[in-house]
Amino acid sequence: MNPSMVVRAVAARMVSVRRVAQRDEGISLVELVVGILVLGIISALIANLFISSVRAMSVSSATDTNTRMASNGMNQLTRMVRAGTPYPVKNEMVPRPAFVQIAPDSFTMYAYVNLQNSDQKPVKVQYSVERTDLIETTWEAGPPDGDFYNFPPDPTSRRELATSLVPAAETGSPLFTYLDKAGHPIAVPSGGVISTDVLASVSAVSIALTIQGSSTDTRSRVALENTVAIPNLGRTRVIP
């Protein structure tokens, strides 16, 4: 056999063996580390995207819940304040003021609203804050005494109108601000009995209702404000 052919055959055999050996080596340590790093980065990106989506959905759901609660509460407050009416009492020449009691976080008033049927009867209603809950307490008028009505000592109903109210110390605005016919805020004493003249001077109520379901996450906080006039008082209110 030609020696050159033998050399070529041996060289070809060595190349073939080397290729087989290279295929059996697998991946190197560097390639393994790089692969793990890439996989870790991709996993972190996917996890962050998932967590962000879950948080966004949670905030959106909480905001929707707070919005509906604030809207329902504001609608009921507006409805009742707008129906406020002076309360005529038998054997008294001058009707009593529409408001019985006023405070930055509560008030009691008389109103004429249709609660159950077509009969137009007065109702006595109180709105107050207990911890972080807005409570509506109602006294329905008893049987009429001629053209006059009386209210029982015990309330007819009591319900939770809204929850998770943000306190005024945090929002910077009281829940209720009372305005005279010129639109000026009425100074409400911090305690004691409020005079009839002060109660009778209330011509509108400014309501600032803020709801926040979570005590730590302010992203879902919802704040509604509305100024409600009381047309049944028969006054021409000046809007400043």
PDB file of all heavy atoms in Angstrom, residues 74-75 77-82 99 107 174-185 202-209 224-231 237-240:
ATOM      1  N   MET A  74     -72.915  59.387  49.358  1.00  0.00           N
ATOM      2  CA  MET A  74     -73.133  60.780  48.972  1.00  0.00           C
ATOM      3  C   MET A  74     -74.547  60.986  48.432  1.00  0.00           C
ATOM      4  O   MET A  74     -75.196  62.001  48.728  1.00  0.00           O
ATOM      5  CB  MET A  74     -72.101  61.196  47.929  1.00  0.00           C
ATOM      6  CG  MET A  74     -72.212  62.648  47.485  1.00  0.00           C
ATOM      7  SD  MET A  74     -71.898  63.829  48.823  1.00  0.00           S
ATOM      8  CE  MET A  74     -70.106  63.757  48.904  1.00  0.00           C
ATOM      9  N   ASN A  75     -75.044  60.035  47.658  1.00  0.00           N
ATOM     10  CA  ASN A  75     -76.404  60.159  47.119  1.00  0.00           C
ATOM     11  C   ASN A  75     -77.444  60.208  48.234  1.00  0.00           C
ATOM     12  O   ASN A  75     -78.391  61.006  48.182  1.00  0.00           O
ATOM     13  CB  ASN A  75     -76.703  58.991  46.177  1.00  0.00           C
ATOM     14  CG  ASN A  75     -75.941  59.083  44.876  1.00  0.00           C
ATOM     15  OD1 ASN A  75     -75.475  60.149  44.489  1.00  0.00           O
ATOM     16  ND2 ASN A  75     -75.803  57.959  44.188  1.00  0.00           N
ATOM     17  N   LEU A  77     -76.943  61.075  51.458  1.00  0.00           N
ATOM     18  CA  LEU A  77     -76.779  62.321  52.205  1.00  0.00           C
ATOM     19  C   LEU A  77     -77.386  63.497  51.439  1.00  0.00           C
ATOM     20  O   LEU A  77     -78.089  64.337  52.015  1.00  0.00           O
ATOM     21  CB  LEU A  77     -75.294  62.577  52.471  1.00  0.00           C
ATOM     22  CG  LEU A  77     -74.625  61.704  53.536  1.00  0.00           C
ATOM     23  CD1 LEU A  77     -73.110  61.856  53.466  1.00  0.00           C
ATOM     24  CD2 LEU A  77     -75.127  62.071  54.927  1.00  0.00           C
ATOM     25  N   THR A  78     -77.120  63.552  50.145  1.00  0.00           N
ATOM     26  CA  THR A  78     -77.648  64.641  49.321  1.00  0.00           C
ATOM     27  C   THR A  78     -79.172  64.613  49.296  1.00  0.00           C
ATOM     28  O   THR A  78     -79.835  65.654  49.432  1.00  0.00           O
ATOM     29  CB  THR A  78     -77.095  64.530  47.887  1.00  0.00           C
ATOM     30  OG1 THR A  78     -75.670  64.611  47.929  1.00  0.00           O
ATOM     31  CG2 THR A  78     -77.639  65.635  47.005  1.00  0.00           C
ATOM     32  N   ARG A  79     -79.719  63.432  49.118  1.00  0.00           N
ATOM     33  CA  ARG A  79     -81.181  63.285  49.074  1.00  0.00           C
ATOM     34  C   ARG A  79     -81.823  63.781  50.359  1.00  0.00           C
ATOM     35  O   ARG A  79     -82.833  64.497  50.336  1.00  0.00           O
ATOM     36  CB  ARG A  79     -81.532  61.818  48.835  1.00  0.00           C
ATOM     37  CG  ARG A  79     -83.008  61.466  48.985  1.00  0.00           C
ATOM     38  CD  ARG A  79     -83.225  60.005  48.630  1.00  0.00           C
ATOM     39  NE  ARG A  79     -84.598  59.583  48.853  1.00  0.00           N
ATOM     40  CZ  ARG A  79     -85.027  58.975  49.956  1.00  0.00           C
ATOM     41  NH1 ARG A  79     -84.172  58.719  50.937  1.00  0.00           N
ATOM     42  NH2 ARG A  79     -86.288  58.619  50.087  1.00  0.00           N
ATOM     43  N   MET A  80     -81.240  63.415  51.497  1.00  0.00           N
ATOM     44  CA  MET A  80     -81.859  63.766  52.766  1.00  0.00           C
ATOM     45  C   MET A  80     -81.666  65.242  53.098  1.00  0.00           C
ATOM     46  O   MET A  80     -82.601  65.916  53.558  1.00  0.00           O
ATOM     47  CB  MET A  80     -81.280  62.887  53.875  1.00  0.00           C
ATOM     48  CG  MET A  80     -82.121  62.870  55.126  1.00  0.00           C
ATOM     49  SD  MET A  80     -83.795  62.212  54.871  1.00  0.00           S
ATOM     50  CE  MET A  80     -83.430  60.481  54.555  1.00  0.00           C
ATOM     51  N   VAL A  81     -80.462  65.766  52.873  1.00  0.00           N
ATOM     52  CA  VAL A  81     -80.221  67.186  53.178  1.00  0.00           C
ATOM     53  C   VAL A  81     -81.100  68.074  52.304  1.00  0.00           C
ATOM     54  O   VAL A  81     -81.673  69.067  52.773  1.00  0.00           O
ATOM     55  CB  VAL A  81     -78.731  67.526  52.988  1.00  0.00           C
ATOM     56  CG1 VAL A  81     -78.508  69.031  53.090  1.00  0.00           C
ATOM     57  CG2 VAL A  81     -77.879  66.805  54.027  1.00  0.00           C
ATOM     58  N   ARG A  82     -81.230  67.721  51.032  1.00  0.00           N
ATOM     59  CA  ARG A  82     -82.042  68.531  50.124  1.00  0.00           C
ATOM     60  C   ARG A  82     -83.512  68.554  50.555  1.00  0.00           C
ATOM     61  O   ARG A  82     -84.239  69.510  50.264  1.00  0.00           O
ATOM     62  CB  ARG A  82     -81.929  67.992  48.700  1.00  0.00           C
ATOM     63  CG  ARG A  82     -82.419  68.963  47.637  1.00  0.00           C
ATOM     64  CD  ARG A  82     -82.251  68.374  46.249  1.00  0.00           C
ATOM     65  NE  ARG A  82     -80.866  68.069  45.956  1.00  0.00           N
ATOM     66  CZ  ARG A  82     -79.979  68.960  45.543  1.00  0.00           C
ATOM     67  NH1 ARG A  82     -80.335  70.219  45.397  1.00  0.00           N
ATOM     68  NH2 ARG A  82     -78.740  68.598  45.293  1.00  0.00           N
ATOM     69  N   PHE A  99     -82.536  71.720  61.337  1.00  0.00           N
ATOM     70  CA  PHE A  99     -81.459  70.981  62.002  1.00  0.00           C
ATOM     71  C   PHE A  99     -81.678  70.988  63.508  1.00  0.00           C
ATOM     72  O   PHE A  99     -81.935  72.028  64.119  1.00  0.00           O
ATOM     73  CB  PHE A  99     -80.096  71.587  61.668  1.00  0.00           C
ATOM     74  CG  PHE A  99     -79.644  71.287  60.267  1.00  0.00           C
ATOM     75  CD1 PHE A  99     -79.992  72.130  59.221  1.00  0.00           C
ATOM     76  CD2 PHE A  99     -78.896  70.157  59.987  1.00  0.00           C
ATOM     77  CE1 PHE A  99     -79.594  71.853  57.921  1.00  0.00           C
ATOM     78  CE2 PHE A  99     -78.493  69.867  58.691  1.00  0.00           C
ATOM     79  CZ  PHE A  99     -78.849  70.722  57.655  1.00  0.00           C
ATOM     80  N   PHE A 107     -74.837  65.185  62.177  1.00  0.00           N
ATOM     81  CA  PHE A 107     -75.947  66.133  62.283  1.00  0.00           C
ATOM     82  C   PHE A 107     -77.251  65.357  62.400  1.00  0.00           C
ATOM     83  O   PHE A 107     -77.359  64.196  62.000  1.00  0.00           O
ATOM     84  CB  PHE A 107     -75.997  67.120  61.106  1.00  0.00           C
ATOM     85  CG  PHE A 107     -76.322  66.510  59.770  1.00  0.00           C
ATOM     86  CD1 PHE A 107     -77.627  66.181  59.409  1.00  0.00           C
ATOM     87  CD2 PHE A 107     -75.312  66.284  58.839  1.00  0.00           C
ATOM     88  CE1 PHE A 107     -77.924  65.631  58.172  1.00  0.00           C
ATOM     89  CE2 PHE A 107     -75.598  65.734  57.595  1.00  0.00           C
ATOM     90  CZ  PHE A 107     -76.908  65.408  57.267  1.00  0.00           C
ATOM     91  N   PRO A 174     -63.356  68.630  57.297  1.00  0.00           N
ATOM     92  CA  PRO A 174     -64.388  67.931  58.071  1.00  0.00           C
ATOM     93  C   PRO A 174     -65.383  67.248  57.143  1.00  0.00           C
ATOM     94  O   PRO A 174     -65.532  67.632  55.978  1.00  0.00           O
ATOM     95  CB  PRO A 174     -65.043  69.055  58.880  1.00  0.00           C
ATOM     96  CG  PRO A 174     -64.800  70.286  58.065  1.00  0.00           C
ATOM     97  CD  PRO A 174     -63.468  70.093  57.401  1.00  0.00           C
ATOM     98  N   LEU A 175     -66.058  66.263  57.668  1.00  0.00           N
ATOM     99  CA  LEU A 175     -67.067  65.563  56.875  1.00  0.00           C
ATOM    100  C   LEU A 175     -68.199  66.506  56.487  1.00  0.00           C
ATOM    101  O   LEU A 175     -68.658  66.503  55.337  1.00  0.00           O
ATOM    102  CB  LEU A 175     -67.605  64.373  57.672  1.00  0.00           C
ATOM    103  CG  LEU A 175     -68.706  63.536  57.018  1.00  0.00           C
ATOM    104  CD1 LEU A 175     -68.238  62.955  55.690  1.00  0.00           C
ATOM    105  CD2 LEU A 175     -69.163  62.431  57.968  1.00  0.00           C
ATOM    106  N   PHE A 176     -68.637  67.342  57.431  1.00  0.00           N
ATOM    107  CA  PHE A 176     -69.736  68.280  57.178  1.00  0.00           C
ATOM    108  C   PHE A 176     -69.295  69.706  57.502  1.00  0.00           C
ATOM    109  O   PHE A 176     -68.728  69.957  58.570  1.00  0.00           O
ATOM    110  CB  PHE A 176     -70.966  67.925  58.024  1.00  0.00           C
ATOM    111  CG  PHE A 176     -71.466  66.523  57.824  1.00  0.00           C
ATOM    112  CD1 PHE A 176     -71.500  65.623  58.881  1.00  0.00           C
ATOM    113  CD2 PHE A 176     -71.899  66.099  56.581  1.00  0.00           C
ATOM    114  CE1 PHE A 176     -71.960  64.328  58.705  1.00  0.00           C
ATOM    115  CE2 PHE A 176     -72.358  64.799  56.388  1.00  0.00           C
ATOM    116  CZ  PHE A 176     -72.386  63.916  57.448  1.00  0.00           C
ATOM    117  N   THR A 177     -69.563  70.611  56.571  1.00  0.00           N
ATOM    118  CA  THR A 177     -69.365  72.039  56.792  1.00  0.00           C
ATOM    119  C   THR A 177     -70.689  72.728  56.508  1.00  0.00           C
ATOM    120  O   THR A 177     -71.299  72.508  55.454  1.00  0.00           O
ATOM    121  CB  THR A 177     -68.273  72.606  55.870  1.00  0.00           C
ATOM    122  OG1 THR A 177     -67.040  71.911  56.106  1.00  0.00           O
ATOM    123  CG2 THR A 177     -68.064  74.091  56.123  1.00  0.00           C
ATOM    124  N   TYR A 178     -71.128  73.571  57.428  1.00  0.00           N
ATOM    125  CA  TYR A 178     -72.447  74.195  57.324  1.00  0.00           C
ATOM    126  C   TYR A 178     -72.284  75.638  56.845  1.00  0.00           C
ATOM    127  O   TYR A 178     -71.435  76.382  57.343  1.00  0.00           O
ATOM    128  CB  TYR A 178     -73.162  74.127  58.674  1.00  0.00           C
ATOM    129  CG  TYR A 178     -73.186  72.714  59.214  1.00  0.00           C
ATOM    130  CD1 TYR A 178     -72.188  72.265  60.087  1.00  0.00           C
ATOM    131  CD2 TYR A 178     -74.163  71.811  58.831  1.00  0.00           C
ATOM    132  CE1 TYR A 178     -72.181  70.964  60.565  1.00  0.00           C
ATOM    133  CE2 TYR A 178     -74.165  70.507  59.299  1.00  0.00           C
ATOM    134  CZ  TYR A 178     -73.169  70.090  60.165  1.00  0.00           C
ATOM    135  OH  TYR A 178     -73.158  68.801  60.624  1.00  0.00           O
ATOM    136  N   LEU A 179     -73.123  76.011  55.874  1.00  0.00           N
ATOM    137  CA  LEU A 179     -73.009  77.319  55.238  1.00  0.00           C
ATOM    138  C   LEU A 179     -74.273  78.130  55.481  1.00  0.00           C
ATOM    139  O   LEU A 179     -75.388  77.585  55.501  1.00  0.00           O
ATOM    140  CB  LEU A 179     -72.785  77.157  53.732  1.00  0.00           C
ATOM    141  CG  LEU A 179     -71.655  76.205  53.301  1.00  0.00           C
ATOM    142  CD1 LEU A 179     -71.633  76.067  51.787  1.00  0.00           C
ATOM    143  CD2 LEU A 179     -70.310  76.683  53.825  1.00  0.00           C
ATOM    144  N   ASP A 180     -74.095  79.454  55.636  1.00  0.00           N
ATOM    145  CA  ASP A 180     -75.257  80.331  55.742  1.00  0.00           C
ATOM    146  C   ASP A 180     -75.733  80.708  54.344  1.00  0.00           C
ATOM    147  O   ASP A 180     -75.192  80.235  53.337  1.00  0.00           O
ATOM    148  CB  ASP A 180     -74.933  81.564  56.590  1.00  0.00           C
ATOM    149  CG  ASP A 180     -73.793  82.395  56.003  1.00  0.00           C
ATOM    150  OD1 ASP A 180     -73.499  82.254  54.792  1.00  0.00           O
ATOM    151  OD2 ASP A 180     -73.190  83.186  56.751  1.00  0.00           O
ATOM    152  N   LYS A 181     -76.744  81.568  54.252  1.00  0.00           N
ATOM    153  CA  LYS A 181     -77.320  81.878  52.946  1.00  0.00           C
ATOM    154  C   LYS A 181     -76.363  82.648  52.045  1.00  0.00           C
ATOM    155  O   LYS A 181     -76.549  82.693  50.827  1.00  0.00           O
ATOM    156  CB  LYS A 181     -78.625  82.654  53.116  1.00  0.00           C
ATOM    157  CG  LYS A 181     -78.473  84.035  53.719  1.00  0.00           C
ATOM    158  CD  LYS A 181     -79.825  84.718  53.806  1.00  0.00           C
ATOM    159  CE  LYS A 181     -79.706  86.132  54.373  1.00  0.00           C
ATOM    160  NZ  LYS A 181     -81.033  86.806  54.445  1.00  0.00           N
ATOM    161  N   ALA A 182     -75.320  83.244  52.635  1.00  0.00           N
ATOM    162  CA  ALA A 182     -74.308  83.935  51.838  1.00  0.00           C
ATOM    163  C   ALA A 182     -73.186  82.998  51.406  1.00  0.00           C
ATOM    164  O   ALA A 182     -72.261  83.416  50.713  1.00  0.00           O
ATOM    165  CB  ALA A 182     -73.731  85.112  52.621  1.00  0.00           C
ATOM    166  N   GLY A 183     -73.268  81.735  51.820  1.00  0.00           N
ATOM    167  CA  GLY A 183     -72.248  80.767  51.448  1.00  0.00           C
ATOM    168  C   GLY A 183     -71.048  80.758  52.358  1.00  0.00           C
ATOM    169  O   GLY A 183     -70.037  80.121  52.043  1.00  0.00           O
ATOM    170  N   HIS A 184     -71.137  81.436  53.502  1.00  0.00           N
ATOM    171  CA  HIS A 184     -70.017  81.482  54.435  1.00  0.00           C
ATOM    172  C   HIS A 184     -70.117  80.331  55.437  1.00  0.00           C
ATOM    173  O   HIS A 184     -71.218  80.017  55.914  1.00  0.00           O
ATOM    174  CB  HIS A 184     -70.001  82.818  55.186  1.00  0.00           C
ATOM    175  CG  HIS A 184     -69.860  83.999  54.281  1.00  0.00           C
ATOM    176  ND1 HIS A 184     -70.497  85.199  54.499  1.00  0.00           N
ATOM    177  CD2 HIS A 184     -69.166  84.157  53.126  1.00  0.00           C
ATOM    178  CE1 HIS A 184     -70.199  86.052  53.545  1.00  0.00           C
ATOM    179  NE2 HIS A 184     -69.391  85.443  52.694  1.00  0.00           N
ATOM    180  N   PRO A 185     -68.997  79.716  55.780  1.00  0.00           N
ATOM    181  CA  PRO A 185     -69.027  78.635  56.777  1.00  0.00           C
ATOM    182  C   PRO A 185     -69.508  79.147  58.132  1.00  0.00           C
ATOM    183  O   PRO A 185     -69.182  80.259  58.550  1.00  0.00           O
ATOM    184  CB  PRO A 185     -67.570  78.170  56.840  1.00  0.00           C
ATOM    185  CG  PRO A 185     -66.962  78.622  55.554  1.00  0.00           C
ATOM    186  CD  PRO A 185     -67.655  79.899  55.196  1.00  0.00           C
ATOM    187  N   VAL A 202     -78.434  77.724  59.056  1.00  0.00           N
ATOM    188  CA  VAL A 202     -77.858  76.773  58.099  1.00  0.00           C
ATOM    189  C   VAL A 202     -78.715  76.744  56.840  1.00  0.00           C
ATOM    190  O   VAL A 202     -79.904  76.434  56.888  1.00  0.00           O
ATOM    191  CB  VAL A 202     -77.766  75.361  58.711  1.00  0.00           C
ATOM    192  CG1 VAL A 202     -77.217  74.378  57.676  1.00  0.00           C
ATOM    193  CG2 VAL A 202     -76.897  75.370  59.954  1.00  0.00           C
ATOM    194  N   SER A 203     -78.096  77.083  55.706  1.00  0.00           N
ATOM    195  CA  SER A 203     -78.814  77.096  54.430  1.00  0.00           C
ATOM    196  C   SER A 203     -78.295  76.051  53.456  1.00  0.00           C
ATOM    197  O   SER A 203     -78.939  75.779  52.440  1.00  0.00           O
ATOM    198  CB  SER A 203     -78.711  78.480  53.775  1.00  0.00           C
ATOM    199  OG  SER A 203     -79.319  79.462  54.586  1.00  0.00           O
ATOM    200  N   ALA A 204     -77.140  75.498  53.736  1.00  0.00           N
ATOM    201  CA  ALA A 204     -76.562  74.474  52.864  1.00  0.00           C
ATOM    202  C   ALA A 204     -75.539  73.686  53.669  1.00  0.00           C
ATOM    203  O   ALA A 204     -75.044  74.148  54.703  1.00  0.00           O
ATOM    204  CB  ALA A 204     -75.912  75.089  51.631  1.00  0.00           C
ATOM    205  N   VAL A 205     -75.239  72.502  53.180  1.00  0.00           N
ATOM    206  CA  VAL A 205     -74.244  71.646  53.828  1.00  0.00           C
ATOM    207  C   VAL A 205     -73.231  71.211  52.781  1.00  0.00           C
ATOM    208  O   VAL A 205     -73.599  70.698  51.719  1.00  0.00           O
ATOM    209  CB  VAL A 205     -74.893  70.402  54.471  1.00  0.00           C
ATOM    210  CG1 VAL A 205     -73.828  69.541  55.144  1.00  0.00           C
ATOM    211  CG2 VAL A 205     -75.957  70.808  55.478  1.00  0.00           C
ATOM    212  N   SER A 206     -71.968  71.441  53.079  1.00  0.00           N
ATOM    213  CA  SER A 206     -70.889  70.966  52.217  1.00  0.00           C
ATOM    214  C   SER A 206     -70.396  69.632  52.769  1.00  0.00           C
ATOM    215  O   SER A 206     -70.021  69.539  53.944  1.00  0.00           O
ATOM    216  CB  SER A 206     -69.744  71.986  52.173  1.00  0.00           C
ATOM    217  OG  SER A 206     -68.696  71.523  51.349  1.00  0.00           O
ATOM    218  N   ILE A 207     -70.411  68.614  51.925  1.00  0.00           N
ATOM    219  CA  ILE A 207     -70.062  67.255  52.345  1.00  0.00           C
ATOM    220  C   ILE A 207     -68.756  66.844  51.675  1.00  0.00           C
ATOM    221  O   ILE A 207     -68.620  66.957  50.455  1.00  0.00           O
ATOM    222  CB  ILE A 207     -71.179  66.266  51.971  1.00  0.00           C
ATOM    223  CG1 ILE A 207     -72.531  66.738  52.527  1.00  0.00           C
ATOM    224  CG2 ILE A 207     -70.855  64.867  52.476  1.00  0.00           C
ATOM    225  CD1 ILE A 207     -73.710  65.955  51.982  1.00  0.00           C
ATOM    226  N   ALA A 208     -67.807  66.388  52.468  1.00  0.00           N
ATOM    227  CA  ALA A 208     -66.527  65.886  51.952  1.00  0.00           C
ATOM    228  C   ALA A 208     -66.363  64.449  52.434  1.00  0.00           C
ATOM    229  O   ALA A 208     -65.978  64.209  53.578  1.00  0.00           O
ATOM    230  CB  ALA A 208     -65.365  66.752  52.426  1.00  0.00           C
ATOM    231  N   LEU A 209     -66.675  63.513  51.559  1.00  0.00           N
ATOM    232  CA  LEU A 209     -66.687  62.092  51.919  1.00  0.00           C
ATOM    233  C   LEU A 209     -65.492  61.396  51.278  1.00  0.00           C
ATOM    234  O   LEU A 209     -65.356  61.374  50.056  1.00  0.00           O
ATOM    235  CB  LEU A 209     -67.994  61.458  51.441  1.00  0.00           C
ATOM    236  CG  LEU A 209     -68.268  60.000  51.836  1.00  0.00           C
ATOM    237  CD1 LEU A 209     -68.328  59.863  53.350  1.00  0.00           C
ATOM    238  CD2 LEU A 209     -69.563  59.520  51.207  1.00  0.00           C
ATOM    239  N   LEU A 224     -65.127  62.336  47.443  1.00  0.00           N
ATOM    240  CA  LEU A 224     -66.232  63.035  46.785  1.00  0.00           C
ATOM    241  C   LEU A 224     -66.606  64.261  47.607  1.00  0.00           C
ATOM    242  O   LEU A 224     -66.638  64.201  48.843  1.00  0.00           O
ATOM    243  CB  LEU A 224     -67.453  62.118  46.645  1.00  0.00           C
ATOM    244  CG  LEU A 224     -67.292  60.848  45.800  1.00  0.00           C
ATOM    245  CD1 LEU A 224     -68.603  60.074  45.772  1.00  0.00           C
ATOM    246  CD2 LEU A 224     -66.846  61.183  44.388  1.00  0.00           C
ATOM    247  N   GLU A 225     -66.901  65.349  46.926  1.00  0.00           N
ATOM    248  CA  GLU A 225     -67.327  66.576  47.594  1.00  0.00           C
ATOM    249  C   GLU A 225     -68.584  67.106  46.913  1.00  0.00           C
ATOM    250  O   GLU A 225     -68.713  67.034  45.692  1.00  0.00           O
ATOM    251  CB  GLU A 225     -66.218  67.633  47.558  1.00  0.00           C
ATOM    252  CG  GLU A 225     -64.967  67.248  48.341  1.00  0.00           C
ATOM    253  CD  GLU A 225     -63.928  68.354  48.368  1.00  0.00           C
ATOM    254  OE1 GLU A 225     -64.242  69.460  47.854  1.00  0.00           O
ATOM    255  OE2 GLU A 225     -62.826  68.130  48.897  1.00  0.00           O
ATOM    256  N   ASN A 226     -69.486  67.634  47.727  1.00  0.00           N
ATOM    257  CA  ASN A 226     -70.727  68.177  47.179  1.00  0.00           C
ATOM    258  C   ASN A 226     -71.291  69.192  48.165  1.00  0.00           C
ATOM    259  O   ASN A 226     -71.222  68.992  49.384  1.00  0.00           O
ATOM    260  CB  ASN A 226     -71.744  67.057  46.944  1.00  0.00           C
ATOM    261  CG  ASN A 226     -72.954  67.531  46.160  1.00  0.00           C
ATOM    262  OD1 ASN A 226     -72.892  68.552  45.473  1.00  0.00           O
ATOM    263  ND2 ASN A 226     -74.055  66.809  46.267  1.00  0.00           N
ATOM    264  N   THR A 227     -71.823  70.278  47.638  1.00  0.00           N
ATOM    265  CA  THR A 227     -72.500  71.277  48.461  1.00  0.00           C
ATOM    266  C   THR A 227     -73.985  71.206  48.150  1.00  0.00           C
ATOM    267  O   THR A 227     -74.396  71.388  47.002  1.00  0.00           O
ATOM    268  CB  THR A 227     -71.962  72.689  48.187  1.00  0.00           C
ATOM    269  OG1 THR A 227     -70.567  72.732  48.519  1.00  0.00           O
ATOM    270  CG2 THR A 227     -72.700  73.719  49.023  1.00  0.00           C
ATOM    271  N   VAL A 228     -74.773  70.917  49.179  1.00  0.00           N
ATOM    272  CA  VAL A 228     -76.201  70.656  49.002  1.00  0.00           C
ATOM    273  C   VAL A 228     -77.002  71.790  49.627  1.00  0.00           C
ATOM    274  O   VAL A 228     -76.892  72.053  50.831  1.00  0.00           O
ATOM    275  CB  VAL A 228     -76.599  69.315  49.647  1.00  0.00           C
ATOM    276  CG1 VAL A 228     -78.051  68.989  49.325  1.00  0.00           C
ATOM    277  CG2 VAL A 228     -75.673  68.197  49.180  1.00  0.00           C
ATOM    278  N   ALA A 229     -77.801  72.453  48.815  1.00  0.00           N
ATOM    279  CA  ALA A 229     -78.690  73.501  49.315  1.00  0.00           C
ATOM    280  C   ALA A 229     -79.968  72.881  49.860  1.00  0.00           C
ATOM    281  O   ALA A 229     -80.285  71.716  49.594  1.00  0.00           O
ATOM    282  CB  ALA A 229     -79.007  74.492  48.203  1.00  0.00           C
ATOM    283  N   ILE A 230     -80.712  73.667  50.632  1.00  0.00           N
ATOM    284  CA  ILE A 230     -81.952  73.195  51.248  1.00  0.00           C
ATOM    285  C   ILE A 230     -83.077  74.102  50.765  1.00  0.00           C
ATOM    286  O   ILE A 230     -83.400  75.117  51.395  1.00  0.00           O
ATOM    287  CB  ILE A 230     -81.843  73.209  52.785  1.00  0.00           C
ATOM    288  CG1 ILE A 230     -80.548  72.511  53.221  1.00  0.00           C
ATOM    289  CG2 ILE A 230     -83.047  72.530  53.430  1.00  0.00           C
ATOM    290  CD1 ILE A 230     -80.253  72.626  54.695  1.00  0.00           C
ATOM    291  N   PRO A 231     -83.696  73.781  49.641  1.00  0.00           N
ATOM    292  CA  PRO A 231     -84.692  74.690  49.044  1.00  0.00           C
ATOM    293  C   PRO A 231     -85.942  74.881  49.882  1.00  0.00           C
ATOM    294  O   PRO A 231     -86.613  75.914  49.762  1.00  0.00           O
ATOM    295  CB  PRO A 231     -85.014  74.019  47.704  1.00  0.00           C
ATOM    296  CG  PRO A 231     -84.648  72.586  47.886  1.00  0.00           C
ATOM    297  CD  PRO A 231     -83.490  72.575  48.829  1.00  0.00           C
ATOM    298  N   ARG A 237     -80.224  81.558  48.326  1.00  0.00           N
ATOM    299  CA  ARG A 237     -78.830  81.392  48.746  1.00  0.00           C
ATOM    300  C   ARG A 237     -77.903  82.047  47.738  1.00  0.00           C
ATOM    301  O   ARG A 237     -78.046  81.864  46.528  1.00  0.00           O
ATOM    302  CB  ARG A 237     -78.484  79.902  48.876  1.00  0.00           C
ATOM    303  CG  ARG A 237     -77.144  79.642  49.528  1.00  0.00           C
ATOM    304  CD  ARG A 237     -76.981  78.169  49.828  1.00  0.00           C
ATOM    305  NE  ARG A 237     -76.822  77.375  48.626  1.00  0.00           N
ATOM    306  CZ  ARG A 237     -75.637  77.077  48.086  1.00  0.00           C
ATOM    307  NH1 ARG A 237     -74.528  77.517  48.647  1.00  0.00           N
ATOM    308  NH2 ARG A 237     -75.561  76.350  47.000  1.00  0.00           N
ATOM    309  N   VAL A 238     -76.955  82.807  48.250  1.00  0.00           N
ATOM    310  CA  VAL A 238     -75.961  83.460  47.408  1.00  0.00           C
ATOM    311  C   VAL A 238     -74.748  82.549  47.308  1.00  0.00           C
ATOM    312  O   VAL A 238     -74.169  82.152  48.321  1.00  0.00           O
ATOM    313  CB  VAL A 238     -75.548  84.831  47.985  1.00  0.00           C
ATOM    314  CG1 VAL A 238     -74.481  85.469  47.106  1.00  0.00           C
ATOM    315  CG2 VAL A 238     -76.763  85.733  48.109  1.00  0.00           C
ATOM    316  N   ILE A 239     -74.373  82.194  46.078  1.00  0.00           N
ATOM    317  CA  ILE A 239     -73.210  81.335  45.872  1.00  0.00           C
ATOM    318  C   ILE A 239     -71.979  82.216  45.726  1.00  0.00           C
ATOM    319  O   ILE A 239     -71.906  83.041  44.808  1.00  0.00           O
ATOM    320  CB  ILE A 239     -73.383  80.462  44.622  1.00  0.00           C
ATOM    321  CG1 ILE A 239     -74.630  79.585  44.779  1.00  0.00           C
ATOM    322  CG2 ILE A 239     -72.150  79.599  44.390  1.00  0.00           C
ATOM    323  CD1 ILE A 239     -74.925  78.735  43.570  1.00  0.00           C
ATOM    324  N   PRO A 240     -71.004  82.110  46.634  1.00  0.00           N
ATOM    325  CA  PRO A 240     -69.824  82.980  46.568  1.00  0.00           C
ATOM    326  C   PRO A 240     -68.949  82.641  45.377  1.00  0.00           C
ATOM    327  O   PRO A 240     -68.981  81.543  44.870  1.00  0.00           O
ATOM    328  CB  PRO A 240     -69.110  82.689  47.897  1.00  0.00           C
ATOM    329  CG  PRO A 240     -69.563  81.319  48.289  1.00  0.00           C
ATOM    330  CD  PRO A 240     -70.962  81.173  47.762  1.00  0.00           C
TER     331      PRO A 240
END
